[in-house]
Amino acid sequence: MCGILAVFGCVDNSQAKRSRIIELSRRLRHRGPDWSGLHCHGDCYLAHQRLAIVDPTSGDQPLYNEDKTVVVTVNGEIYNHKELRQKLKSHQFRTGSDCEVIAHLYEEYGEDFVDMLDGMFSFVLLDTRDKSFIAARDAIGITPLYMGWGLDGSIWFASEMKALSDDCERFVSFLPGHIYSSKKGALRRWYNPPWYSEQIPSTPYDPMVLRKAFEKAVLKRLMTDVPFGVLLSGGLDSSLVAAVASRYLAESEAACQWGSQLHTFCIGLKGSPDLKAAREVADYLGTRHHEFHFTVQEGIDAVEEVIYHTETYDVTTIRASTPMFLMSRKIKSLGVKMVLSGEGSDEIFGGYLYFHKAPNKEEFHQETCRKIKALHLYDCLRANKSTSAWGLEARVPFLDKEFVNIAMAIDPEWKMIRPDLGRIEKWVLRNAFDDGENPYLPKHILYRQKEQFSDGVGYSWIDGLKDHANKQVTDSMLVHASFIYPENTPTTKEAYYYRTIFEKFFPKNAARSTVPGGPSVACSTAKAVEWDAAWSKNLDPSGRAALGVHAAAYEESLDDKDANQLNGSSQKLQEGLVEQAAAVV
């Protein structure tokens, strides 16, 4: 991942302003420690902090067209850049960078080229001929981008809030799948897939189509000129990424430089569920596995830094970001600069445990749509900023544009959790890779119950965080929280603790408005909390909060009637899981 900063329409274009832009861009250097670049044109500035993944020797940014009238600063990877170059044979390329195609595509097609890009990206482009500019963000929001406005009429864009928050009166998270055009003076959505309307699809489930699409998504993300690996928790999603990458690595160009044995990485408290499962998957796949441990205290000590880098006070995100942040530092110390990760699958396939309670396929599908649309505020933000804090790039094959479209076109009846039919969460994905002749994974891994990452690293991690927060925040502080924090008021001591740290780093009103709020259980949206009346009594983002679903569900004090209902539900679900397990043995 790189860091970008662009400013247009500065009243002051003195040397002091240039120095200020350099200073602000330096706040993003953790994202791109390999090189820095700055292009100035009158009152316009485009700055770049580079993490060199493709063409490390000549791909420094900003990038240009042939006569340098078009300037672009990019954070991301364009996986189809070689195919796009074939459409631009009349253009002269200066570098081997995958991102250089953006400048030439703009020359060839004007502003309507963004949908041609297959990858993850945030970019800002300046046309010096008329001083017009555009900014765009990838379809799902895998890469971060913020947009701000200065009191002098200037407009700002940056990869992270910390690069513009001090100099902008107002700023927002730039919407995924959108483009801003200075000529039109507004944002418009360039990404318009069929699922975005939330209409219920009817395409029959074809396991081979789904499998091939995912394999293609993984393979294209092996585009690299630097050492890489896979983040492996031992759960379904990361295990499938590792299985596919391991199976096809020898055939890829990356193997010529870095060998055909895949490196995998896992972190957890000693004895945690993830460590055990990841080791088993790594042994099965024959990867070079790296296992890292952390203590609850080490995690607590890192929380302030995690909040500074992730720029959020969302409880779920901070819980999961902390071990990922610690692991990324270890990975970078080994000389690795790029990793594949399993984010996005739970949103696409309804993998969170609360989906067990979806009342029908319509609500199931609409919830998956809502979850994907919000990914840039949660898991994409976590995966990107936790890794980028240490100059490590995370790629997410489940959020491949083509794969998402195929998966979201499936009739959601197939995604519904049906213990009576032996279908647990994400059954359509598990079944697609259930190959008896040439197995991708062992059966019990392929059908392992979902763990939230923050749970899987060790249940005592969450409990330790809560205990620490309880010591920092008094009852009186929480009672008066609505007066101190009237917007997105924290409702737990843990949330209050994170909020105080966030406000220290980002005190402006605009900053707190970039973070989502609302009730949630086991990572649900606020709408899905309505699926079960008992959930409103236990609003916690941990997977264990899905009462009556998770094997390690919280013990909740309920009246006898509610308890009986939950116990009955739990018994039926457990019976269904047993039937399913028997069917696949």
Side-chain angles (χ1 to χ4, degrees):
M1 280 296 115
C2 301
I4 64 173
L5 172 64
V7 189
F8 302 99
C10 295
V11 171
D12 175 15
N13 59 358
S14 65
Q15 179 60 40
K17 189 65 175 183
R18 180 187 178 96
S19 298
R20 177 60 176 167
I21 299 297
I22 291 171
E23 178 189 346
L24 293 172
S25 178
R26 206 177 288 137
R27 296 183 184 180
L28 303 173
R29 187 163 291 174
H30 54 275
R31 298 184 61 85
D34 297 334
W35 197 251
S36 303
L38 175 63
H39 179 92
C40 302
H41 180 79
D43 59 359
C44 304
Y45 299 84
L46 285 86
H48 191 266
Q49 301 289 342
R50 187 184 185 205
L51 180 67
I53 302 288
V54 175
D55 186 26
T57 55
S58 70
D60 294 338
Q61 295 194 39
L63 295 161
Y64 304 90
N65 65 338
E66 292 86 345
D67 62 4
K68 293 196 171 185
T69 55
V70 175
V71 193
V72 63
T73 181
V74 190
N75 168 35
E77 305 290 342
I78 309 302
Y79 303 121
N80 64 335
H81 73 106
K82 290 182 178 178
E83 293 90 331
L84 291 172
R85 283 177 184 242
Q86 293 302 308
K87 297 180 179 182
L88 299 164
K89 287 186 175 179
S90 62
H91 293 256
Q92 182 180 351
F93 286 79
R94 299 170 179 270
T95 75
S97 169
D98 53 295
C99 295
E100 191 181 347
V101 295
I102 293 173
H104 299 289
L105 286 168
Y106 172 79
E107 275 193 298
E108 194 73 21
Y109 301 99
E111 296 181 355
D112 299 322
F113 68 89
V114 183
D115 198 30
M116 299 170 68
L117 301 174
D118 182 7
M120 55 177 185
F121 55 83
S122 295
F123 70 81
V124 183
L125 180 149
L126 170 66
D127 187 337
T128 63
R129 292 167 294 192
D130 59 4
K131 288 186 70 175
S132 65
F133 59 89
I134 59 172
R137 191 176 183 187
D138 66 62
I140 307 296
I142 301 166
T143 61
L145 187 63
Y146 293 84
M147 181 179 185
W149 297 266
L151 286 173
D152 62 352
S154 57
I155 185 166
W156 297 58
F157 301 92
S159 294
E160 294 184 4
M161 193 161 57
K162 58 182 66 67
L164 53 69
S165 58
D166 288 347
D167 290 54
C168 290
E169 185 66 17
R170 182 167 178 261
F171 46 91
V172 296
S173 176
F174 194 101
L175 291 171
H178 280 69
I179 180 172
Y180 176 87
S181 165
S182 65
K183 290 178 180 176
K184 297 184 171 65
L187 280 166
R188 71 178 186 276
R189 188 152 51 88
W190 64 263
Y191 179 57
N192 295 286
W195 64 266
Y196 204 89
S197 67
E198 301 185 13
Q199 293 296 307
I200 311 305
S202 57
T203 305
Y205 167 55
D206 186 329
M208 288 308 297
V209 169
L210 195 64
R211 182 197 294 185
K212 294 300 180 188
F214 184 65
E215 289 180 330
K216 184 179 176 182
V218 173
L219 281 171
K220 72 175 70 167
R221 281 159 181 78
L222 299 181
M223 177 186 82
T224 178
D225 293 323
V226 298
F228 69 98
V230 173
L231 303 184
L232 177 62
S233 70
L236 174 68
D237 307 327
S238 64
S239 297
L240 283 179
V241 173
V244 173
S246 182
R247 180 169 292 200
Y248 294 104
L249 178 57
E251 304 170 14
S252 70
E253 291 181 17
C256 299
Q257 293 187 72
W258 310 111
S260 58
Q261 186 179 29
L262 185 69
H263 287 255
T264 51
F265 310 95
C266 184
I267 192 167
L269 306 177
K270 285 187 177 178
S272 69
D274 279 2
L275 292 180
K276 181 172 180 280
R279 172 63 65 183
E280 186 177 4
V281 173
D283 289 345
Y284 180 81
L285 298 176
T287 70
R288 179 80 178 273
H289 191 58
H290 307 266
E291 186 176 288
F292 308 122
H293 302 117
F294 77 104
T295 65
V296 171
Q297 188 59 54
E298 286 171 333
I300 289 170
D301 290 343
V303 164
E304 276 211 20
E305 205 173 355
V306 168
I307 292 172
Y308 172 76
H309 279 287
T310 58
E311 304 179 321
T312 186
Y313 50 83
D314 175 68
V315 170
T316 323
T317 304
I318 295 165
R319 287 178 177 180
S321 292
T322 304
M324 198 171 196
F325 173 85
L326 296 172
M327 175 169 57
S328 296
R329 187 177 191 181
K330 292 278 192 180
I331 292 171
K332 188 61 185 290
S333 73
L334 298 175
V336 172
K337 294 176 75 173
M338 185 273 283
V339 290
L340 304 186
S341 192
E343 280 76 17
S345 173
D346 290 315
E347 287 75 15
I348 295 167
F349 297 105
Y352 293 108
L353 296 180
Y354 73 90
F355 275 94
H356 279 253
K357 299 294 184 76
N360 52 59
K361 73 175 188 178
E362 289 79 15
E363 291 203 41
F364 187 107
H365 179 73
Q366 288 162 0
E367 176 70 0
T368 61
C369 293
R370 289 191 292 267
K371 291 291 291 179
I372 296 171
K373 290 175 184 179
L375 265 170
H376 68 290
L377 300 171
Y378 296 103
D379 284 21
C380 286
L381 179 148
R382 167 182 55 78
N384 183 281
K385 292 183 179 178
S386 298
T387 54
S388 293
W390 300 106
L392 181 69
E393 174 172 290
R395 298 179 179 177
V396 283
F398 279 108
L399 296 179
D400 179 82
K401 196 163 58 168
E402 181 182 353
F403 179 76
V404 171
N405 288 344
I406 288 171
M408 291 301 289
I410 298 171
D411 186 334
E413 184 63 43
W414 288 94
K415 296 181 182 179
M416 289 283 286
I417 296 156
R418 294 283 303 275
D420 56 318
L421 299 177
R423 295 182 191 168
I424 62 171
E425 64 273 0
K426 293 188 288 194
W427 178 84
V428 292
L429 181 63
R430 301 173 196 271
N431 182 65
F433 285 90
D434 194 347
D435 188 332
E437 295 183 5
N438 189 15
Y440 286 79
L441 294 168
K443 289 273 191 186
H444 63 283
I445 292 290
L446 196 59
Y447 291 93
R448 182 191 180 204
Q449 187 178 42
K450 163 72 183 170
E451 295 276 8
Q452 249 87 296
F453 178 55
S454 53
D455 286 338
V457 298
Y459 291 138
S460 58
W461 164 235
I462 305 298
D463 299 334
L465 276 175
K466 289 181 173 183
D467 290 344
H468 178 70
N470 287 340
K471 294 172 185 174
Q472 307 304 312
V473 180
T474 66
D475 293 342
S476 177
M477 290 163 72
L478 189 61
V479 166
H480 298 116
S482 62
F483 298 102
I484 306 298
Y485 304 120
E487 183 180 356
N488 272 355
T489 304
T491 57
T492 67
K493 290 185 177 181
E494 185 185 7
Y496 192 106
Y497 175 59
Y498 299 154
R499 183 65 171 272
T500 59
I501 298 170
F502 177 88
E503 297 275 346
K504 181 174 69 174
F505 292 126
F506 308 105
K508 288 190 175 179
N509 290 334
R512 66 184 66 102
S513 297
T514 64
V515 181
S520 174
V521 63
C523 291
S524 75
T525 65
K527 178 69 176 173
V529 172
E530 300 170 8
W531 291 350
D532 191 311
W535 286 346
S536 62
K537 301 177 183 178
N538 190 43
L539 294 173
D540 190 284
S542 168
R544 289 178 289 161
L547 294 169
V549 175
H550 195 282
Y554 292 127
E555 292 182 6
E556 183 74 0
S557 296
L558 302 168
D559 60 46
D560 291 341
K561 181 179 178 182
D562 285 343
N564 289 334
Q565 287 177 336
L566 282 172
N567 289 337
S569 173
S570 179
Q571 184 177 353
K572 289 177 183 176
L573 287 163
Q574 290 299 322
E575 288 171 355
L577 289 172
V578 170
E579 290 174 13
Q580 183 276 332
V584 297
V585 171

